[in-house]
Amino acid sequence: MSDSNTTDFTNPSTFILQGIPGLEAAHVWISIPFCTMYTIAILGNFTILFIVKMEPSLHGPMYYFLCMLAVTDLVVSTSILPKMLAIFWFNSREIDFSACLTQLYVFHSFSVIESGIFMAMAFDRYVAICDPLRHATTLTNPVVAKIILAVVLRGSMLILPYPFLLRRWPYCRTNIIPQPYCAHMAVMKLACADIRVSSYYGLFVLFCVMGLDVIFIILSYIQILRAIFSLPTKDARLKTFGTCSSHLCAILVFYIPGLFFSLSYRFHQNVPLHFHVLIANVYYLMPSMLNPIIYGMRTKQIRGRLLRLFTHKGT
């Protein structure tokens, strides 16, 4: 397929991923931090999964949700990083139309799943702090499994219209995507048809799903903070708040950069395209890299198990 910006096609066989527009000459250097982030994400999340599996004391709701978060981070980063590195290293810019839609679906569905997992983790912290006597009977293993299944089904079903709608549109303008992976908005903008249905549905998913997740998390933490401040001593308040600190840090890493990214995308006329693409890539990879570091450093049980693992190997 030609790289020309104008072409006559209605159903493209391939798209051309441009990488970082305007910085093609620096792709090899740009790949170094992204490869490093991906390596840390792979090692960190597999370490979390290994520690939780090997330590019976960690077989509880909070750590089951943490394992699901690790799996989700692995899928999100792996859905875009290998192709991105192939572009940076080998100039392998073509992607099959069906493969592009598959990448898009996996990436977006697991992003929604990750938001749902944070909401489930907030519910776990709410029950553990506000109603601790009923935590073991409320969040039993079958209930945790049902919550995880509901979160996965919600993400899978809500994003399913994305590829089906995109497959319907004719593409007669260009087949060049000005970034290193297929995203819903980027592919949708290439269509030469009335794409309002796709656009409105994308906004629905953003505001009515992830927005509701944020509202639920905020309400949960309002109740949690009320319960914490009602404790009699400062030490008790700090100890109880410490059980939530890692979750709060992970939430901030996931949602705050996303808000910045959304604003920069909306006002991208004043932001250089290469800067916007770089920020978007960092945003989507940062949670996968930082989540295992946050939970490894701030969760006493995981940190202790990890130290015992290395100490045992050393002796």
Side-chain angles (χ1 to χ4, degrees):
M1 182 71 66
S2 171
D3 284 14
S4 62
N5 286 331
T6 57
T7 182
D8 248 340
F9 57 88
T10 56
N11 293 298
S13 59
T14 60
F15 283 120
I16 305 297
L17 297 171
Q18 199 171 353
I20 311 297
L23 297 178
E24 288 85 357
H27 272 176
V28 174
W29 296 105
I30 293 172
S31 71
I32 295 174
F34 285 108
C35 186
T36 303
M37 292 172 69
Y38 184 49
T39 302
I40 295 172
I42 293 290
L43 294 176
N45 285 292
F46 271 117
T47 301
I48 294 290
L49 292 172
F50 175 77
I51 289 175
V52 174
K53 177 178 173 57
M54 297 301 294
E55 182 60 49
S57 65
L58 301 182
H59 293 178
M62 174 182 173
Y63 300 101
Y64 292 147
F65 290 135
L66 180 57
C67 286
M68 189 61 201
L69 180 65
V71 171
T72 303
D73 283 334
L74 286 170
V75 174
V76 169
S77 58
T78 303
S79 68
I80 60 175
L81 247 296
K83 182 60 180 177
M84 186 187 302
L85 293 177
I87 295 170
F88 291 160
W89 291 342
F90 310 114
N91 200 32
S92 176
R93 299 193 296 159
E94 290 195 359
I95 184 170
D96 182 77
F97 182 61
S98 296
C100 181
L101 296 184
T102 301
Q103 183 189 56
L104 177 152
Y105 172 75
V106 172
F107 170 69
H108 285 290
S109 61
F110 275 86
S111 296
V112 173
I113 289 170
E114 182 158 0
S115 179
I117 293 169
F118 281 125
M119 181 176 62
M121 295 174 84
F123 176 67
D124 169 71
R125 292 297 86 203
Y126 165 76
V127 177
I129 293 173
C130 297
D131 198 1
L133 297 179
R134 298 180 58 186
H135 183 257
T137 57
T138 301
L139 284 169
T140 60
N141 287 347
V143 171
V144 171
K146 289 176 182 177
I147 291 174
I148 291 175
L149 179 62
V151 167
V152 172
L153 288 176
R154 184 189 73 155
S156 303
M157 298 304 294
L158 282 172
I159 301 300
L160 197 58
Y162 278 15
F164 282 103
L165 288 171
L166 292 173
R167 191 176 287 276
R168 290 181 53 203
W169 309 133
Y171 297 87
C172 56
R173 294 173 181 164
T174 180
N175 65 333
I176 297 177
I177 298 175
Q179 56 189 47
Y181 58 89
C182 293
H184 178 242
M185 185 67 70
V187 177
M188 184 177 65
K189 284 186 173 182
L190 301 183
C192 53
D194 187 352
I195 57 173
R196 283 180 295 179
V197 173
S198 285
S199 180
Y200 292 155
Y201 187 74
L203 289 174
F204 166 78
V205 171
L206 179 63
F207 290 108
C208 294
V209 176
M210 300 185 79
L212 288 177
D213 290 352
V214 171
I215 292 173
F216 181 86
I217 291 170
I218 291 173
L219 292 175
S220 297
Y221 269 95
I222 289 174
Q223 297 301 316
I224 289 170
L225 291 174
R226 288 179 60 186
I228 289 175
F229 286 120
S230 68
L231 294 173
T233 65
K234 181 179 179 180
D235 288 342
R237 290 193 290 269
L238 290 175
K239 184 177 179 181
T240 306
F241 183 77
T243 64
C244 301
S245 59
S246 54
H247 182 232
L248 279 172
C249 290
I251 287 174
L252 293 175
V253 167
F254 183 76
Y255 288 109
I256 297 300
L259 175 63
F260 174 78
F261 168 65
S262 298
L263 291 175
S264 70
Y265 195 90
R266 183 176 295 274
F267 301 106
H268 71 280
Q269 295 88 349
N270 301 321
V271 179
L273 181 59
H274 65 269
F275 178 79
H276 170 77
V277 173
L278 280 172
I279 290 297
N281 293 337
V282 171
Y283 160 62
Y284 287 126
L285 291 173
M286 192 162 51
S288 300
M289 178 188 69
L290 292 182
N291 284 341
I293 297 175
I294 290 170
Y295 281 98
M297 292 179 62
R298 301 195 65 87
T299 305
K300 182 179 178 181
Q301 293 87 339
I302 294 178
R303 187 171 65 247
R305 183 64 177 85
L306 190 60
L307 289 174
R308 289 201 306 272
L309 179 66
F310 284 109
T311 302
H312 177 72
K313 284 187 175 182
T315 57

